[in-house]
Amino acid sequence: KATVSVLNWVGAAMDKVLSDDEDGLNEQERAQLAFGKGYPFPRPDHSFTFCTETHEVEPLGAEWQVGDEREELLPVLACGSNAAPVQLRRKYPKGEYTGRIPVVAGVLKDYDSVFCPMFASYGSITATLAPSPGAELRVHVTFLSRPQLERMHKTEGGYHYGTLDGIDLTLDNGSHFTSIHAYIHKNGLLMCGGAPVSITMLPCKNRSFPSMSQAEILEKYARVLNQPPGDNFILTVINSKKRHNWNKKLATNFSQVFVGGYTVIDYEEAAEQAAEQESTDFTGLGM
């Protein structure tokens, strides 16, 4: 099979988001801006596998089923950047993890991917889910081993991990879910003019919310916070403790709680329960 290096995705993201007015910035600052502006990052529209050892991406055939794997894998919905090879590369450093991660494309009905009320440490405003009747959101599902899931938990500090119930999710391989594990932001949805804001880069049919790109949402909320928008603002978000105060303002003044069929699962409790069940069938969740 042909392979695609994740470095190609990094390069493509940087080419698209670096502006012409960044002369004078050092290499680290340019890289920080590229990553911050690039969220939620390019990803294949089709299903693929990500190799944690080599960081290579390979196409995954439509016939793949979770039962084909030697180890038990837990399906976790990726509604933001967790399906992007660039983000998976950051979350699973070379030499620290083994195995591949199947990332299977599909369609989630009656939900949209929207911005949450938080600046991430890398400068982006990140994603969460919002109920949206009639919407058809293109998503991926990551199938994670227990060590891979434990690592994913450590990278999702602003989010609850839990079970999203009563859903209609169909993957490209024909698998259907009525329930799945997902990360939902602890502070809910970022509100603008009384409505959530959809993420333009993530495809969704019958979208009812206004949508913005990462650049547009960063500019919008820089102005809301009485800050000059632009690269200096993004670098301040990344490198200054001011980010924490700004996040408090977003959560206090511009957020709405998530309302839907969602049950929070405690990370440590879930790990203990899994360890006690030597033959846990993760594959049956919502299938």
Side-chain angles (χ1 to χ4, degrees), residues 124-178:
S124 308
I125 297 180
T126 55
T128 192
L129 280 177
S132 181
E136 296 183 13
L137 178 65
R138 188 68 171 163
V139 296
H140 287 77
V141 172
T142 55
F143 285 82
L144 304 175
S145 66
R146 290 177 186 171
Q148 291 166 352
L149 179 62
E150 290 172 2
R151 169 58 183 169
M152 186 65 78
H153 287 337
K154 293 178 181 179
T155 69
E156 297 288 336
Y159 290 78
H160 289 301
Y161 174 72
T163 304
L164 189 63
D165 297 313
I167 63 170
D168 185 353
L169 169 63
T170 302
L171 302 186
D172 289 359
N173 66 3
S175 299
H176 184 257
F177 291 74
T178 57

Side-chain angles (χ1 to χ4, degrees), residues 244-271:
H244 304 297
N245 291 330
W246 291 339
N247 280 341
K248 289 179 181 178
K249 289 183 179 179
L250 293 185
T252 301
N253 301 314
F254 303 98
S255 68
Q256 178 177 297
V257 297
F258 175 87
V259 178
Y262 188 71
T263 304
V264 176
I265 299 173
D266 180 83
Y267 294 172
E268 296 181 358
E269 180 181 346

Side-chain angles (χ1 to χ4, degrees), residues 3-267:
T3 61
V4 180
S5 171
V6 170
L7 292 177
N8 292 338
W9 292 99
V10 174
M14 292 181 72
D15 289 343
K16 289 181 180 179
V17 303
L18 285 176
S19 60
D20 296 332
D21 61 354
E22 292 171 345
D23 293 343
L25 297 175
N26 62 44
E27 184 175 349
Q28 178 179 340
E29 289 171 332
R30 290 177 65 84
Q32 288 177 330
L33 288 171
F35 202 87
K37 294 178 181 180
Y39 187 96
F41 312 112
R43 79 283 313 280
D45 180 62
H46 54 76
S47 302
F48 63 95
T49 60
F50 175 80
C51 180
T52 59
E53 290 109 324
T54 65
H55 285 178
E56 290 184 332
V57 173
E58 296 186 354
L60 186 66
E63 72 283 355
W64 179 87
Q65 298 291 332
V66 68
D68 297 340
E69 302 297 315
R70 293 183 178 180
E71 59 183 331
E72 295 166 339
L73 302 178
L74 180 66
V76 181
L77 184 65
C79 67
S81 68
N82 285 347
V86 170
Q87 189 69 289
L88 293 172
R89 177 178 182 266
R90 186 182 76 89
K91 295 191 174 196
Y92 296 94
K94 279 185 179 180
E96 296 185 20
Y97 298 91
T98 61
R100 66 175 192 163
I101 298 175
V103 186
V104 184
V107 174
L108 174 63
K109 293 184 177 180
D110 300 321
Y111 282 89
D112 198 356
S113 184
V114 302
F115 290 104
C116 71
M118 185 190 78
F119 295 103
S121 60
Y122 46 84
S124 308
I125 297 180
T126 55
T128 192
L129 280 177
S132 181
E136 296 183 13
L137 178 65
R138 188 68 171 163
V139 296
H140 287 77
V141 172
T142 55
F143 285 82
L144 304 175
S145 66
R146 290 177 186 171
Q148 291 166 352
L149 179 62
E150 290 172 2
R151 169 58 183 169
M152 186 65 78
H153 287 337
K154 293 178 181 179
T155 69
E156 297 288 336
Y159 290 78
H160 289 301
Y161 174 72
T163 304
L164 189 63
D165 297 313
I167 63 170
D168 185 353
L169 169 63
T170 302
L171 302 186
D172 289 359
N173 66 3
S175 299
H176 184 257
F177 291 74
T178 57
S179 177
I180 196 166
H181 289 143
Y183 294 99
I184 299 294
H185 199 269
K186 294 177 180 178
N187 292 330
L189 323 175
L190 179 64
M191 304 297 286
C192 179
V197 182
S198 300
I199 300 175
T200 301
M201 189 175 177
L202 299 177
C204 182
K205 294 181 179 179
N206 305 322
R207 178 165 270 163
S208 61
F209 303 135
S211 64
M212 293 187 187
S213 66
Q214 184 65 221
E216 290 169 335
I217 198 74
L218 286 171
E219 178 177 353
K220 168 72 177 178
Y221 281 90
R223 296 187 188 279
V224 166
L225 294 166
N226 296 316
Q227 302 297 314
D231 294 341
N232 286 337
F233 172 73
I234 299 170
L235 291 172
T236 301
V237 169
I238 296 170
N239 299 311
S240 170
K241 293 182 179 179
K242 291 181 179 179
R243 179 180 73 250
H244 304 297
N245 291 330
W246 291 339
N247 280 341
K248 289 179 181 178
K249 289 183 179 179
L250 293 185
T252 301
N253 301 314
F254 303 98
S255 68
Q256 178 177 297
V257 297
F258 175 87
V259 178
Y262 188 71
T263 304
V264 176
I265 299 173
D266 180 83
Y267 294 172

